[in-house]
DNA sequence: AAAATATTGATACATTTTATCATTTTTTTA
DNA sequence: TAAAAAAATGATAAAATGTATCAATATTTT
């Protein structure tokens, strides 16, 4: 049970519990399993991928797909997970407790890299202000061809 | 028939025809109507909104919704239109023949403003290079609360 | 421990997008 | 320019994705 000794995870768990309390929601086995899985599997998952991941790794949990959708929505609203939406697919979810970052995505193989850039963030804030907006968050995705696919000379 | 004398539109049309020729596709009334509508109605439309717009403005065209989807996908692949995807809705389409720009979106009322920023574009290119990517395009969407909604003090 | 409240899984339903296919339109060919 | 070839169309079935419903169950409050 490495989780019980993991400060980072414990912190996350407390944050989630706090959100639940504030909204008079309940802390359930399913919600805990979902959070734990998000923590243990860094990456970007569609709800369905997530569902399968949990079925495989927590065979006894028996979580319904509806609960996956419900919980991911809840976690997104609480800003504990971030949703990425691109391409033909629906939204992909990832834990938001890491420092903010954006994504570079390979149009050929779907590889996703993460990066962050303070100078861009700063400009974004300025631009929002210039337009009278109060900036809450942003999405930035760079698309291109990754080194591997470039070598393979695969066009799009 | 102002289109016949409109250089900008003619150019767009030629571009479209060129894409069609290259792919052994055919230039049809429906495809022309869709391109024309995109040109005449700047904005960001869902396929369904687009469908209704055409039904209203070109009552004789009688285009099926499937053709709207098919043509928007084709135009997107050809980079003649750009698709924006955010929130719970599907993709919104707009003509891509204007200078590149990004979007600020109000989380409350859905208002979309456009902007461009050369310094961000430059950084993006650098970041892609640092990661070995060949950058082809990007999406950047800033989210926040627009001035009007701020005044109304409507939270999210 | 009982009552109150919220959650769950299963699944029906809704919505959005794509696939199918007979018919029509466009383009090519001779 | 008419016939043949190729592709597109509209209608609609089917798939894909996400949400709502509801009886049963779990959690929290009292």
């Amino acid at each position: 049970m490495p989780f019980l000794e993991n400060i980072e995870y414990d912190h996350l768990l407390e944050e989630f519990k706090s959100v639940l309390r504030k909204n008079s929601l309940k802390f359930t086995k399913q919600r805990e399993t979902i959070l734990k899985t998000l923590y243990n599997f860094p990456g970007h998952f569609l709800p369905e991928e997530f569902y399968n991941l949990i079925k495989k790794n927590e065979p006894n949990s028996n979580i319904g797909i509806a609960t996956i959708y419900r919980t991911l929505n809840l976690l997104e609203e609480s800003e504990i997970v971030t949703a990425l939406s691109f391409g033909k697919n629906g939204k992909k979810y990832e834990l938001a407790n890491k420092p903010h970052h954006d994504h570079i995505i390979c149009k050929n193989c779907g590889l996703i890299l993460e990066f962050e850039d303070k100078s861009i963030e700063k400009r974004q804030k300025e631009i929002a202000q210039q337009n009278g907006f109060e900036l809450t968050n942003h999405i930035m995705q760079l698309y291109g061809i990754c080194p591997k696919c470039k070598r393979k000379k695969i066009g799009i």
Side-chain angles (χ1 to χ4, degrees), chain A:
Chain A
M1 293 287 229
F3 304 119
L4 298 177
E5 307 170 30
N6 187 321
I7 293 175
E8 203 184 357
Y9 177 72
D10 284 356
H11 181 263
L12 185 62
L13 191 59
E14 281 316 309
E15 193 186 336
F16 191 20
K17 283 186 180 171
S18 154
V19 165
L20 294 174
R21 247 170 318 192
K22 270 183 204 152
N23 297 284
S24 307
L25 302 175
K26 290 172 179 174
F27 182 66
T28 63
K29 294 246 164 34
Q30 289 87 343
R31 284 174 176 164
E32 186 177 16
T33 299
I34 289 171
L35 191 73
K36 200 171 71 179
T37 307
L38 274 163
Y39 181 78
N40 283 329
F41 295 88
H44 308 79
F45 301 104
L46 295 168
E48 178 125 18
E49 293 170 336
F50 211 70
Y51 175 64
N52 294 324
L53 192 61
I54 290 180
K55 266 208 300 201
K56 195 173 172 189
N57 287 82
E58 306 276 343
N60 300 323
S61 64
N62 191 36
I63 296 183
I65 185 78
T67 297
I68 301 288
Y69 275 101
R70 284 188 285 234
T71 306
L72 288 174
N73 282 339
L74 169 61
L75 289 167
E76 188 188 3
E77 282 167 33
S78 321
E79 302 189 7
I80 293 177
V81 307
T82 305
L84 270 184
S85 130
F86 52 85
K88 307 240 167 197
N89 308 313
K91 289 195 208 172
K92 290 191 179 185
Y93 294 86
E94 67 173 340
L95 209 52
N97 75 331
K98 30 187 175 179
H100 175 75
H101 58 270
D102 294 293
H103 299 89
I104 308 187
I105 298 155
C106 178
K107 282 170 96 167
N108 188 247
C109 68
L111 172 73
I112 301 177
L113 298 187
E114 298 174 352
F115 70 91
E116 73 157 331
D117 189 273
K118 292 293 180 197
S119 71
I120 290 183
E121 312 259 319
K122 195 175 150 222
R123 274 301 291 145
Q124 288 176 335
K125 204 168 279 182
E126 289 167 8
I127 290 161
Q129 269 171 2
Q130 281 165 21
N131 288 279
F133 271 62
E134 187 179 317
L135 188 63
T136 56
N137 60 309
H138 74 264
I139 287 174
M140 179 165 59
Q141 292 155 22
L142 308 186
Y143 291 91
I145 311 296
C146 75
K148 211 173 209 171
C149 288
K150 261 201 287 187
R151 279 199 297 276
K152 284 187 195 159
K153 289 183 186 174
I154 293 169
I156 292 293

